[in-house]
Amino acid sequence: HVREGVCTGLAELIEATTKQLLADYLGDLIPAIRQAIIDDVESVRNSASVVLAKLHIAVPRATTDVVTWVLSQLQEEEVEEHSHLFLNGLEQLVAKQPGAVLPLVLSKLTSAPQGEMTALQVQGLACLAVVPDANTVHRHLSDVLPVMIAVASREDASEEVREAAIKSACRVMDRVEQGGLNLLFTELLSAVQKGGAVSHSCAGANLLEHFFDNTQLDVVSILQETLPAVLPLALADEDDETLAAGVRALNSIVKKCKKEELAPYLSGVRGAILALITDASGKEDPGILLPGLCNHNALEPLYPIYQHGLMFGSAEARELAAKGLRELVDHTTEQALKPYVVKITGPLIRIVGDKFPGTVKKAIVDTLKSLLVRGGATLKPFLPQLQTTYVKCLSDPSEAVRQKAAESLGTLVRLSARTEPLINELMTGVTT
C-alpha cells in the first residue's frame, strides 16, 4: 500500500536524522502524520503510530501536537461521518505510546464540561481499554468511570450521548482483570449507594447488570459490599427506572453466583431488607409494601437465597431464612406473591417436622401463617398439609411454637370450606 510505504519511509528517515533537523522540519511532518493516523486503512494507521513513536523520542512535542489535534476533532460535528477513523487513530496512539498519550487524553477529556461532552469525546475516554498493561487500566478507572457515569446520568444529554457513555463504561469494565476488581467496584458502588444522584444510581445499576452478565472473574470477594448496596435500589427506590435497573442487577448477581457462594451473605441480605421495612423506632412496619417486590418481580432473585439457607443451612441460618421469607411475604402484594406461593410453601412444610430448636420451628410456622394470610386462594391445595403440620406443632415442646400453631389454625379455619377434618384430627391428637 502506497500510504503505508510512505509511513515506513518516514520511520526510516526519522531514525537516520538528527534531532535538530527533525525539530526544524516538524511543521512539515506533523500534517502528514495527522492524516495517516486517521486513514481508513488500519495498517496505515498502525504505521503512522509507529512513525510518531519514533519521532517522540527525538521531539516529544510531536506527540502532543498530533494527540491534541485528534482530541479537538472529537468536538467537531463535521467529523461525525468519519468519527470511527479519529477514534481508531486515537486508540492506535494509546496502544503504542500509553505513557505519553494517555495523560494527554485524560487531561483533555476528563476536564471537559460534562454537559458539553460529545458522544465521540466519551468514546475517546474508552481508549483506556486498549492500554496493554492492566495495572495502568486499573489505576485510571477512577479517572474515567465517574465521568462516564455522570454523562450517562445527565437528563439534558441526548440519548446518543448517554448511550455512548454507558457503552464506553462497559468497554472499560470488560478490560478489568481480577487484580482491579476492588478498584472497579469502588467506582460502581459509589454511584449506586445512597447520597448520590438518582440518575447516577440508575446508570450504576445498569453497569452492574452488564458486569455480572459478562464477567469471567471470581466475584465472591465483592458480594459482601455489593448486595447491601443493590438491594435498596431493587426494592425501595422512589424512581421506577432505577428500581427496574436495580432488580435487573440483582438478577444478574444471583444468576452469576452459585447458591453456595451467596449463602454466607444471608444475614447481610436480610439486614438490608429489614432496614427498608422498619420505622424510625426500629420496629417492622406492616404497612410498608416494597415496590420492587410488588411491581418488578424482585422475589425471583431473592427467594432462592433464603430457600438454600432454609434447606441446607445451620439451625441459625434456617431461622434467619424463614424470618427473611416471612418478611418478603408480608411486604409484597397477593398478586405479586402468587407465582411464588407453591415454591416457598413446599420447602417450609417439608422441614418444619424435622428436629430443630423451637426458635427455628417458630420462624417457619410464622412464615407459613403469613403465607396463609397473603397467599389467598393460591394456598388452597396446601390446606390439608398445613392443617396436619399445625396439629403436630400443637404438641411441640416449645410453648412459642404451640402458641403460633394455635393462632395459625384459627387463620386456616377461616379459609377452609369444611371444619370436620380439623376437628377429627384434633380429637385424634387428644386421644393418642
Side-chain angles (χ1 to χ4, degrees):
H1 199 287
V2 175
R3 296 191 298 278
E4 186 179 353
V6 170
C7 288
T8 303
L10 272 176
E12 291 175 0
L13 181 66
I14 288 166
E15 285 189 327
T17 306
T18 65
K19 291 182 180 181
Q20 185 57 52
L21 204 55
L22 289 172
D24 291 344
Y25 284 92
L26 194 61
D28 298 312
L29 291 170
I30 291 297
I33 296 172
R34 285 177 179 176
Q35 291 309 307
I37 206 69
I38 59 167
D39 199 276
D40 55 2
V41 177
E42 184 179 1
S43 60
V44 176
R45 295 194 300 271
N46 185 52
S47 295
S49 67
V50 172
V51 170
L52 188 59
K54 290 180 181 296
L55 186 57
H56 177 82
I57 296 170
V59 190
R61 74 172 188 273
T63 297
T64 303
D65 286 350
V66 174
V67 174
T68 302
W69 176 77
V70 173
L71 292 173
S72 68
Q73 298 305 300
L74 299 182
Q75 286 180 284
E76 305 299 329
E77 291 182 8
E78 55 265 26
V79 305
E80 201 163 308
E81 187 180 343
H82 307 291
S83 59
H84 62 290
L85 299 178
F86 286 90
L87 291 172
N88 290 339
L90 185 62
E91 289 183 5
Q92 286 280 6
L93 294 171
V94 171
K96 279 285 188 303
Q97 299 184 77
V101 177
L102 192 59
L104 295 171
V105 174
L106 295 178
S107 173
K108 177 78 173 177
L109 296 184
T110 59
S111 62
Q114 291 163 3
E116 300 172 14
M117 285 192 83
T118 66
L120 290 181
Q121 286 179 304
V122 181
Q123 289 170 301
L125 271 179
C127 71
L128 175 64
V130 303
V131 173
D133 176 47
N135 288 327
T136 302
V137 176
H138 300 159
R139 196 165 64 249
H140 290 292
L141 291 173
S142 60
D143 294 319
V144 302
L145 285 178
V147 175
M148 292 171 175
I149 291 169
V151 172
S153 305
R154 291 190 66 89
E155 293 181 5
D156 58 350
S158 69
E159 184 66 30
E160 178 197 9
V161 171
R162 291 200 302 269
E163 189 174 319
I166 288 291
K167 286 183 177 178
S168 297
C170 289
R171 188 177 175 209
V172 171
M173 288 195 307
D174 291 344
R175 180 67 179 81
V176 172
E177 297 180 4
Q178 194 70 44
L181 194 60
N182 288 334
L183 289 170
L184 171 62
F185 270 75
T186 296
E187 303 307 322
L188 295 182
L189 297 185
S190 69
V192 302
Q193 283 169 335
K194 282 185 178 180
V198 171
S199 51
H200 282 213
S201 297
C202 188
N206 285 326
L207 294 179
L208 285 170
E209 178 192 9
H210 171 88
F211 176 82
F212 282 100
D213 278 348
N214 294 280
T215 187
Q216 299 300 313
L217 303 180
D218 180 354
V219 299
V220 172
S221 63
I222 45 87
L223 290 178
Q224 187 169 355
E225 292 79 25
T226 304
L227 287 167
V230 171
L231 283 165
L233 297 188
L235 298 180
D237 201 273
E238 295 177 0
D239 177 70
D240 197 63
E241 187 180 352
T242 303
L243 200 65
V247 173
R248 292 196 303 272
L250 189 57
N251 267 306
S252 297
I253 294 169
V254 173
K255 286 175 184 174
K256 168 66 180 172
C257 302
K258 297 174 183 174
K259 291 177 183 176
E260 298 79 24
E261 293 173 332
L262 292 166
Y265 309 104
L266 176 64
S267 177
V269 168
R270 180 175 176 246
I273 295 173
L274 267 176
L276 303 174
I277 55 175
T278 50
D279 58 24
S281 66
K283 292 182 179 179
E284 186 178 344
D285 183 346
I288 295 175
L289 291 175
L290 294 172
L293 297 177
C294 301
N295 306 323
H296 291 279
N297 207 27
L299 271 168
E300 183 64 33
L302 286 174
Y303 91 87
I305 300 175
Y306 285 134
Q307 194 171 67
H308 186 271
L310 188 70
M311 301 302 289
F312 304 105
S314 62
E316 182 184 1
R318 289 175 196 256
E319 181 184 352
L320 283 176
K323 287 179 176 179
L325 282 170
R326 196 266 307 159
E327 288 147 7
L328 293 181
V329 170
D330 282 351
H331 296 277
T332 188
T333 58
E334 182 178 331
Q335 187 62 33
L337 182 63
K338 193 174 181 180
Y340 301 95
V341 167
V342 173
K343 296 176 183 178
I344 295 173
T345 306
L348 288 166
I349 291 175
R350 280 201 298 278
I351 71 163
V352 72
D354 293 347
K355 292 182 179 179
F356 292 122
T359 52
V360 177
K361 285 193 176 184
K362 180 183 179 297
I364 294 172
V365 176
D366 262 342
T367 305
L368 286 169
K369 183 185 177 186
S370 289
L371 282 161
L372 268 178
V373 173
R374 289 274 188 194
T378 314
L379 210 61
K380 279 197 173 180
F382 284 104
L383 293 184
Q385 290 172 273
L386 285 169
Q387 179 178 296
T388 301
T389 297
Y390 290 142
V391 170
K392 285 181 179 177
C393 287
L394 289 174
S395 57
D396 193 89
S398 166
E399 182 182 351
V401 173
R402 295 196 301 271
Q403 179 67 32
K404 190 56 67 175
E407 292 174 11
S408 300
L409 278 171
T411 304
L412 186 143
V413 166
R414 290 193 287 274
L415 293 173
S416 300
R418 297 167 59 235
T419 56
E420 291 90 338
L422 174 58
I423 294 169
N424 291 337
E425 199 162 353
L426 287 171
M427 292 302 293
T428 302
V430 169
T431 57
T432 52

